[in-house]
Amino acid sequence: MFQDDPFLMPRNAANSRLYAVSKESGRNAAKYIIKNFPQYFDKTFAEPNVPSLMPQPVTPRAEGVSEEALRERVHLRMVKESVDMFDQLLQAGTPVSLETTNSLLDLLCFYGDGEPTPEKEQEEKEDLEEPGVDASEQKAPKRQFRRGAQPGPRWRENNHAERIFKIMPERNAHSYCTMIRGMVKHGAYSRAYDMYIDLLNERHKADVHTFNALIRAVPYLKDKFVERWELAKDLLTHMAQQKVQPTLLTFNSVLKSLRRCGGVGRSMSLFVLKEMEALDIEPSLASYDHLLSVYYRGVEAQSSDIISEVLNEVEKRSFTAQDPDDANFFNTAMQVCCDLKDIKLAYQLNRALEKGDNWKFLDVDRSNGYWSKFFSLLCMMEQIEVVLKWYKEMSPSVFYPSPKNILDLLQALDAANQLEVIPSVWEDVKQLGFSRRQDLLEEFLSLMSREQHPSEVQLAFAKCAEEIKGVHEPAGPGQVPLEWTGSALGHVVVLLSRAGRTQDAWNMMEHFQKINRIPTDKVMDEFLSCAKQNNCPDEAIKMVKLAASLGLPLSQRLKSRTEEEFELSETQKKALESIRWDGDSSDSDSSDSDRE
Amino acid sequence: MLQPFDQLGVPPLGFFQQVNVLPVLMTPQLDAALRVWADEVKAWGHFWSVFRKDVSPNVSLAQRSPEWAQHSRCGLSRAEHSRTCWQRSPHTRAPEAQAVREGAAGPGRLCRERGGAEPAGTLLRGTPVRDCCSRPAGRAGSAGRRRRRRCGMWGGVRARGGLATRLLGTAHGRARSKQELFSTSSVLSKDKDKSAASKDSTPEAAAKRQEDGAEAPKQQLLDIIGNMKVEVSYRKKLQQLKASERKKQAVSKLEGPDREGSVPQGITEDTQRLNPELVTAASAVASSLPRNKKQTESELLAQLRRHEETTDKQKKGGTINLRNVISEMTVKRQSPEQWGARLSGRISLQLDEDGQRTRPGRSSAQMDSRRSLKVGKRLNIFTKASTEPEHALKTVSSPTIWDLEFAKEVAAVTAQPPRNGFEEMIQWTKEGILWEFPIDNEAGMEDDAEFHEHIFLDKHLEGFPKEGPIRHFMELVICGLSKNPYLSVKQKVEHIEWFQKYFEEKKELLQEI
């Protein structure tokens, strides 16, 4: 997804989603208007006409009750009207041809006897045009749809499809096949299998799609892994007996079923691949995807042999989509690389992805997932220079890093002792819209405040701290400021003190009292040193006062330090002396101050 | 299944309901502990001989007896199993092997007996592990199988130590094999050993067993445990694989105890010759019967002898088989794929029985590492066939909604939103929203006519008079037509033809004028 105007280009994941959603919803709104008020769109303005901009004809032209009208309604996918028309024809005693009935059955089985809802069509359209742009509430059903699970209605007993199937005077193989496919699609697996048995009893032959559907249903038909495999093998044998040539999808279905066969799958999936090879059927990405999940999903101790062989194969070939599951391959493979912590494999996979049009297999969501896994692996395994190079290249043009990616990057920076890069990462984080993530902020602050750095770095850090402080303060109406935590506050004070900004640091110190937290000793020491450096005895005295009012045992030491290190005026000395010690509240100290 | 050792005095709980608590042993301490343990066990020697009989109270005799008789068989399959493991042995895992060696066969087995999915390291460290306590009885079979696999692994480990390999190659005597054969086949070896001893020793079976127990209580204990385990873990496999044989044997065994009446099972099992005690017992039974004393006694004894023969035969068979197996090991090597398939089959059995994913340990990783896309067999279900006629048939029928939707779905996989302006324009052009380049002012005209066919219509005037008012009229007509953009060429020609026909009809009339 792109935006022509760089100024309007979405800069973070949330914005890009918002952008895509609004684009799509505008499109849908236009379609809705055209669909519901076609009477206002009777002029063809474009010359020549642009069919893709014109509303689809939705009203059937054929009037009256006839087979022709029924066929048209079926063609327009008007489920309910078609069923009504069929019933009317039947009541009138008009015979409906087998072909028409079969196409009606196709329609009913495909939609599981429910109406093709506009939402669903919309979803499919979104799939076509702007995948991954849907609002989050639409996401779940779409995912399901992708995975071949049952969208929409489940198969109900004695629904229209079954009823029509029962009253059909004659049924051919197609009628059975479409029933089986419908039942599998809508989750009535055992009924589908029974239907298949019926088909065999009627001495019909199933077609290859039906077998594919049945094979996909195998894991739901049997409980034990061995039995599942046996059943799948039986179905394949039936195919061979009925002289049905298997297709790529057949074997993909087998492999998909083997995903749910545990250890059996591990040994058998290779046989299946060999069988494909013997039949000159080239595996698609989906085949490899299934193979990888058979071998690597949920297995702890792994070897990288299978995946490296798979990647060698994938690298050699270019792919076109042949199976809806093809899209999952790159993500699965990258996940495996991450699990194996094998950066070489990941590079190899990335090369394969960059080859030809392979990138098209990743839609927006998947590509974000893919790249963020890849980036995490890079952070874990690579030199920091390489990581930063990838980071500059990838973010945000290829993907928007997730908070976890940022954490990984911070850890990598920490490990490589390159903390001076943090301010620039912080800039990116602000842009990515993660500046309100508590965990990220804590990580930033603790890394920045852990050690003393050169002064220019400290200044940059202090700027970051200032900004982080800004996040915690009420910015505008409607913006709820983040709650300070004791440790975050302490880190900010330390950072500001090290940069020599005594006044700001003191302002932060005052927050401790407001949020009922107690600064740690380190924080107070840092502050005092800062005050000393800038020669601000007033702040030092205030500090001692604060410590005293909090009843910290440290306050005595602070006081003596103040007396020693500062040149105090008389009044200041008096002020220092007049600080009341609220008894030796040694019990209430460290319990709170050790909050971090 | 195992009794905690300090509870041995307590009557055994249900066969599957006992908690195995092994004393916490650190590996170096293992030896010392064992020594102590062996002494203790000596004292328990007698108990064990009794315990052995009573150990499986809730396993019926009928179920049990064939199993007891099949020790040799089980041993065989164990040996097979260990062979597979032995052949594998790509990596040496020194610490484990060491541990096994330290612990000899004994503790190793005990650890294994606990049979959870814990890695071997923790097992050796001896953390108390619960086994079988809450597991339903139905699952125990699978637990046993899993345990068996672990045994196999250990066997492999042991074999890697190199010791067993040598032993196998040179076929040492039984006495040594008791100590040193790798652990998976130790049951067999010990069994054999003991039975051999019983052959040699005095006929008093019970006394012998006690003696035996005194001599090597540890071994015996382990032996018993091993036997118990065999019963559980091999039962299912035997049922599956050797159902027919088993049935045969079961029949013969079932006959045995029935006819024997009160003769204790254990005695018939262990005695290799009909010893006097047994004979007296048989005659006692016979005398207790009201009639046909002689006949009953002889029947009983005959049955016992038959029984002994089968036992012997099986034992020999087992020995021979073991030798065969060993020789096969040295000669024929299984290909790694076969091996992997077998092992994975076993794993899967395990998996499906307890219905949960177990952790395939290192062994499965090794197994995977042997796998490859290049080698291996195919399913051999399909044959490659030319499918031309079928294809022809299929293309005739119009696409169903399934086909349409599937095509859509597949297309959606790679249909990504445009990444830049160019891609978007390409897409729009394909959809017909943008003009195609180079700009063509005939774009969208449906008929394939060139512009000159629209404009130069003279050639259609052939059939008209060369001159005169009609010609003049027609020239005006084609002039008008050539300027009309809304009619297709065909319509224009039809228009002209209509005039031609019209004038043809009126020809006579015109000529009259």
Side-chain angles (χ1 to χ4, degrees):
Chain A
M1 179 191 39
F2 84 107
Q3 161 62 39
D4 240 352
D5 188 347
F7 179 75
L8 296 176
M9 190 116 86
R11 309 266 160 128
N12 59 45
N15 275 353
S16 103
R17 165 141 296 183
L18 186 66
Y19 167 68
V21 169
S22 31
K23 199 169 167 183
E24 191 59 31
S25 76
R27 215 172 263 162
N28 287 338
K31 271 183 202 146
Y32 174 84
I33 296 288
I34 290 185
K35 194 179 169 191
N36 285 287
F37 306 98
Q39 66 269 30
Y40 302 126
F41 297 91
D42 55 347
K43 297 270 191 303
T44 305
F45 291 109
E47 184 62 46
N49 186 24
V50 182
S52 64
L53 293 182
M54 296 311 286
Q56 302 292 322
V58 281
T59 42
R61 274 165 300 180
E63 296 296 323
V65 180
S66 68
E67 192 177 328
E68 184 57 41
L70 172 61
R71 222 174 290 155
E72 193 178 3
R73 275 161 183 75
V74 169
H75 181 71
L76 291 172
R77 305 194 182 180
M78 301 160 80
V79 174
K80 195 165 174 303
E81 281 88 344
S82 307
V83 173
D84 289 348
M85 179 77 74
F86 182 83
D87 288 345
Q88 283 171 18
L89 280 171
L90 220 64
Q91 277 166 9
T94 327
V96 183
S97 75
L98 180 63
E99 198 186 332
T100 312
T101 320
N102 275 344
S103 62
L104 174 61
L105 270 186
D106 279 344
L107 178 71
L108 291 177
C109 290
F110 183 81
Y111 287 113
D113 215 9
E115 204 73 21
T117 52
E119 282 81 10
K120 204 178 143 207
E121 277 177 5
Q122 195 177 314
E123 260 176 34
E124 282 168 29
K125 269 279 179 289
E126 269 180 29
D127 268 14
L128 278 174
E129 289 157 18
E130 299 276 339
V133 299
D134 40 355
S136 49
E137 61 266 19
Q138 281 184 3
K139 218 169 152 189
K142 200 187 86 180
R143 285 252 167 97
Q144 270 189 353
F145 181 73
R146 280 257 178 78
R147 285 177 192 157
Q150 310 77 44
R154 312 266 314 167
W155 191 268
R156 293 187 311 276
E157 206 158 326
N158 287 324
N159 59 13
H160 288 307
E162 283 195 12
R163 186 173 60 84
I164 290 173
F165 181 78
K166 271 181 199 148
I167 57 176
M168 274 169 80
E170 50 163 346
R171 302 159 195 152
N172 63 3
H174 184 94
S175 330
Y176 281 99
C177 288
T178 195
M179 285 298 281
I180 293 172
R181 292 175 78 178
M183 285 167 173
V184 171
K185 186 180 178 206
H186 297 285
Y189 303 110
S190 52
R191 291 183 76 83
Y193 192 71
D194 295 344
M195 185 61 83
Y196 173 66
I197 300 293
D198 289 349
L199 174 141
L200 289 184
N201 289 340
E202 296 287 322
R203 299 184 185 284
H204 289 305
K205 283 180 178 179
D207 62 2
V208 63
H209 305 291
T210 310
F211 277 116
N212 296 351
L214 281 171
I215 290 170
R216 276 198 301 277
V218 159
Y220 307 97
L221 289 171
K222 297 281 181 191
D223 287 335
K224 293 188 176 174
F225 292 161
V226 178
E227 287 177 6
R228 286 178 184 174
W229 167 243
E230 289 300 324
L231 182 58
K233 211 160 86 180
D234 285 350
L235 286 170
L236 289 177
T237 323
H238 287 184
M239 283 179 81
Q241 281 163 1
Q242 297 177 26
K243 301 242 174 343
V244 179
Q245 245 352 78
T247 61
L248 170 74
L249 292 168
T250 312
F251 290 112
N252 281 357
S253 309
V254 175
L255 288 169
K256 195 172 186 174
S257 294
L258 282 177
R259 283 170 81 143
R260 312 187 60 159
C261 288
V264 184
R266 263 189 276 283
S267 48
M268 293 308 164
S269 49
L270 289 182
F271 292 155
V272 175
L273 276 188
K274 291 305 281 186
E275 185 83 3
M276 291 171 83
E277 197 180 285
L279 296 179
D280 279 344
I281 296 174
E282 289 217 312
S284 76
L285 287 177
S287 326
Y288 291 129
D289 175 43
H290 298 320
L291 184 72
L292 288 183
S293 26
V294 161
Y295 268 90
Y296 293 99
R297 200 186 43 184
V299 181
E300 280 179 8
Q302 297 155 331
S303 83
S304 56
D305 287 13
I306 292 285
I307 185 169
S308 68
E309 277 185 68
V310 165
L311 287 182
N312 289 338
E313 290 288 315
V314 169
E315 245 187 342
K316 268 187 249 160
R317 292 174 46 196
S318 63
F319 290 89
T320 49
Q322 289 166 289
D323 186 319
D325 289 328
D326 278 352
N328 296 325
F329 170 76
F330 286 102
N331 269 12
T332 313
M334 189 47 90
Q335 184 61 53
V336 173
C337 291
C338 283
D339 292 344
L340 292 172
K341 298 204 173 34
D342 193 332
I343 190 75
K344 276 194 188 128
L345 283 181
Y347 280 135
Q348 198 183 359
L349 178 65
N350 203 42
R351 275 202 302 279
L353 176 72
E354 280 166 355
K355 196 182 166 201
D357 274 347
N358 281 353
W359 64 271
K360 285 194 174 171
F361 285 100
L362 291 178
D363 60 26
V364 173
D365 273 351
R366 289 201 176 90
S367 106
N368 259 334
Y370 171 89
W371 287 105
S372 105
K373 276 176 213 150
F374 185 35
F375 186 68
S376 288
L377 188 62
L378 282 171
C379 289
M380 213 187 302
M381 309 297 293
E382 268 293 2
Q383 301 286 328
I384 189 69
E385 293 81 25
V386 186
V387 174
L388 287 176
K389 190 170 149 275
W390 276 101
Y391 177 69
K392 288 205 180 74
E393 272 176 21
M394 296 198 299
S395 163
S397 60
V398 184
F399 82 114
Y400 301 106
S402 67
K404 183 178 173 299
N405 291 139
I406 297 294
L407 280 179
D408 289 338
L409 179 64
L410 287 179
Q411 270 158 21
L413 287 173
D414 185 18
N417 209 10
Q418 294 234 346
L419 293 178
E420 63 271 12
V421 192
I422 285 183
S424 76
V425 179
W426 169 247
E427 287 299 312
D428 293 342
V429 165
K430 272 195 299 180
Q431 193 143 77
L432 288 169
F434 299 146
S435 54
R436 293 174 64 82
R437 307 249 336 184
Q438 206 71 265
D439 49 343
L440 268 184
L441 293 184
E442 288 282 333
E443 184 73 16
F444 266 107
L445 286 173
S446 66
L447 278 182
M448 286 193 294
S449 65
R450 202 177 52 196
E451 286 154 29
Q452 187 85 35
H453 292 272
S455 58
E456 62 267 30
V457 179
Q458 281 300 347
L459 281 177
F461 281 1
K463 209 166 145 257
C464 294
E466 180 88 26
E467 279 163 0
I468 292 174
K469 186 188 109 191
V471 176
H472 289 83
E473 280 164 359
Q479 274 243 332
V480 183
L482 275 185
E483 289 277 320
W484 277 110
T485 62
S487 56
L489 204 50
H491 292 314
V492 171
V493 171
V494 168
L495 284 170
L496 289 175
S497 317
R498 280 185 191 155
R501 295 162 69 168
T502 322
Q503 191 54 48
D504 292 331
W506 173 248
N507 289 343
M508 293 316 294
M509 278 306 262
E510 282 178 326
H511 272 89
F512 275 108
Q513 249 175 334
K514 280 186 209 156
I515 61 162
N516 290 325
R517 296 279 187 278
I518 288 173
T520 58
D521 297 356
K522 185 192 165 198
V523 171
M524 290 191 282
D525 278 340
E526 287 281 351
F527 179 76
L528 209 63
S529 332
C530 162
K532 187 196 158 205
Q533 248 173 8
N534 296 343
N535 200 15
C536 308
D538 285 339
E539 266 71 31
I541 291 165
K542 280 187 211 160
M543 169 80 218
V544 178
K545 249 185 211 164
L546 178 72
S549 69
L550 290 169
L552 300 181
L554 188 72
S555 49
Q556 285 291 358
R557 194 160 66 77
L558 286 176
K559 187 191 167 199
S560 52
R561 251 188 88 181
T562 315
E563 281 167 346
E564 285 165 24
E565 296 175 14
F566 291 89
E567 290 176 14
L568 299 173
S569 66
E570 279 307 311
T571 44
Q572 282 166 340
K573 269 181 193 159
K574 255 182 210 159
L576 195 59
E577 287 307 319
S578 68
I579 292 169
R580 263 191 61 238
W581 307 107
D582 298 347
D584 287 10
S585 46
S586 53
D587 51 344
S588 67
D589 52 359
S590 52
S591 59
D592 252 21
S593 60
D594 290 342
R595 282 187 51 85
E596 39 188 301
Chain B
M1 190 164 69
L2 281 182
Q3 281 283 78
F5 293 107
D6 49 351
Q7 288 177 27
L8 282 178
V10 184
L13 304 172
F15 200 62
F16 298 120
Q17 294 163 359
Q18 294 169 22
V19 184
N20 171 32
V21 184
L22 195 72
V24 180
L25 300 176
M26 304 312 283
T27 323
Q29 299 165 346
L30 216 55
D31 261 346
L34 269 171
R35 235 168 281 134
V36 177
W37 186 45
D39 293 336
E40 278 177 6
V41 167
K42 223 172 263 181
W44 286 105
H46 180 69
F47 170 75
W48 275 112
S49 63
V50 181
F51 176 70
R52 182 168 183 178
K53 271 182 263 172
D54 298 336
V55 72
S56 51
N58 54 359
V59 175
S60 72
L61 266 180
Q63 217 176 359
R64 201 173 117 201
S65 49
E67 301 296 338
W68 284 99
Q70 274 179 346
H71 286 170
S72 53
R73 216 162 264 288
C74 299
L76 164 65
S77 51
R78 272 181 188 217
E80 263 175 352
H81 194 110
S82 58
R83 174 170 55 125
T84 58
C85 299
W86 177 65
Q87 282 178 350
R88 195 168 80 217
S89 66
H91 308 296
T92 316
R93 253 175 253 113
E96 283 172 33
Q98 180 61 33
V100 177
R101 244 173 273 135
E102 271 178 21
R109 164 175 308 273
L110 269 167
C111 294
R112 268 175 275 120
E113 287 295 336
R114 297 181 303 161
E118 292 79 20
T122 54
L123 278 177
L124 269 180
R125 247 174 280 128
T127 350
V129 181
R130 234 162 275 253
D131 188 25
C132 299
C133 49
S134 61
R135 190 178 288 147
R139 281 192 178 177
S142 74
R145 195 164 284 131
R146 196 189 302 156
R147 225 170 288 129
R148 190 184 65 215
R149 186 162 77 88
R150 186 159 294 285
C151 287
M153 210 173 82
W154 280 68
V157 169
R158 186 100 178 107
R160 272 172 234 139
L163 212 107
T165 324
R166 194 154 27 85
L167 271 174
L168 288 168
T170 53
H172 267 228
R174 284 168 187 166
R176 268 202 85 181
S177 70
K178 172 169 77 181
Q179 294 295 330
E180 311 227 0
L181 251 182
F182 52 85
S183 54
T184 37
S185 59
S186 56
V187 172
L188 168 68
S189 59
K190 262 167 258 154
D191 210 24
K192 204 168 53 179
D193 184 44
K194 200 161 80 66
S195 55
S198 70
K199 261 183 202 166
D200 301 338
S201 65
T202 50
E204 281 83 22
K208 181 207 70 73
R209 230 180 290 122
Q210 276 186 4
E211 256 175 44
D212 213 356
E215 276 165 19
K218 190 174 82 188
Q219 258 73 27
Q220 196 187 5
L221 187 137
L222 296 172
D223 192 9
I224 287 158
I225 293 162
N227 290 342
M228 287 155 61
K229 199 188 69 176
V230 165
E231 213 167 30
V232 180
S233 61
Y234 277 81
R235 188 149 50 89
K236 276 215 172 131
K237 193 183 176 189
L238 285 167
Q239 276 170 352
Q240 284 168 1
L241 298 181
K242 308 181 176 179
S244 57
E245 287 173 62
R246 186 180 172 283
K247 204 181 279 176
K248 223 188 294 164
Q249 284 167 4
V251 166
S252 69
K253 297 294 172 225
L254 275 172
E255 273 176 8
D258 283 350
R259 296 269 214 92
E260 276 162 18
S262 65
V263 176
Q265 182 76 22
I267 296 178
T268 54
E269 287 298 330
D270 282 326
T271 37
Q272 302 311 314
R273 303 212 171 97
L274 290 186
N275 54 45
E277 239 183 46
L278 208 63
V279 177
T280 38
S283 57
V285 172
S287 61
S288 72
L289 290 171
R291 283 174 296 168
N292 280 341
K293 287 179 188 172
K294 200 73 186 167
Q295 199 192 330
T296 313
E297 190 183 338
S298 63
E299 266 177 16
L300 280 173
L301 292 177
Q303 177 59 35
L304 285 174
R305 262 179 224 115
R306 209 183 309 151
H307 199 86
E308 172 217 10
E309 275 165 28
T310 25
T311 321
D312 258 353
K313 213 188 289 164
Q314 283 178 0
K315 189 164 308 228
K316 268 176 201 152
T319 322
I320 289 160
N321 280 346
L322 178 65
R323 289 217 178 99
N324 288 345
V325 165
I326 292 166
S327 62
E328 268 176 47
M329 279 165 80
T330 52
V331 177
K332 181 187 120 195
R333 297 201 65 162
Q334 228 173 356
S335 73
E337 299 77 42
Q338 281 174 323
W339 174 83
R342 278 185 59 177
L343 196 57
S344 75
R346 252 166 242 186
I347 293 166
S348 67
L349 279 174
Q350 217 178 63
L351 282 172
D352 62 30
E353 286 206 9
D354 51 10
Q356 61 195 16
R357 189 189 294 150
T358 52
R359 300 178 188 172
R362 293 189 205 92
S363 59
S364 80
Q366 272 177 21
M367 167 188 88
D368 289 348
S369 72
R370 294 291 189 91
R371 293 222 175 122
S372 156
L373 303 182
K374 304 279 187 307
V375 290
K377 286 185 293 187
R378 51 177 284 201
L379 288 173
N380 269 323
I381 290 177
F382 296 104
T383 50
K384 211 160 92 180
S386 62
T387 52
E388 301 307 321
E390 278 179 79
H391 272 296
L393 267 177
K394 262 175 205 162
T395 43
V396 168
S397 60
S398 64
T400 61
I401 183 172
W402 294 101
D403 302 331
L404 293 173
E405 286 299 320
F406 181 76
K408 247 192 208 174
E409 215 181 318
V410 168
V413 169
T414 46
Q416 301 308 332
R419 293 182 298 179
N420 51 48
F422 295 114
E423 281 183 3
E424 187 171 59
M425 278 155 79
I426 291 169
Q427 195 182 325
W428 283 347
T429 312
K430 276 182 190 154
E431 285 170 15
I433 295 170
L434 281 189
W435 286 101
E436 285 187 28
F437 286 89
I439 295 230
D440 176 8
N441 61 2
E442 288 176 47
M445 290 190 166
E446 281 87 17
D447 51 353
D448 294 329
E450 295 285 320
F451 81 98
H452 61 83
E453 291 173 57
H454 277 274
I455 292 167
F456 302 116
L457 298 166
D458 292 357
K459 57 182 179 185
H460 301 295
L461 295 187
E462 302 281 316
F464 291 92
K466 291 276 182 271
E467 52 193 0
I470 294 181
R471 177 77 188 187
H472 182 65
F473 173 76
M474 281 316 294
E475 276 173 357
L476 290 178
V477 166
I478 60 167
C479 181
L481 282 178
S482 67
K483 290 175 183 173
N484 187 339
Y486 301 106
L487 294 178
S488 67
V489 173
K490 204 176 153 207
Q491 281 171 317
K492 288 176 182 179
V493 172
E494 274 169 8
H495 198 76
I496 295 167
E497 274 166 2
W498 184 87
F499 280 112
Q500 197 175 358
K501 226 179 271 172
Y502 179 82
F503 288 126
E504 212 52 51
E505 279 167 16
K506 309 282 170 174
K507 201 174 181 180
E508 290 165 19
L509 197 69
L510 287 168
Q511 272 172 351
E512 271 176 31
I513 295 167

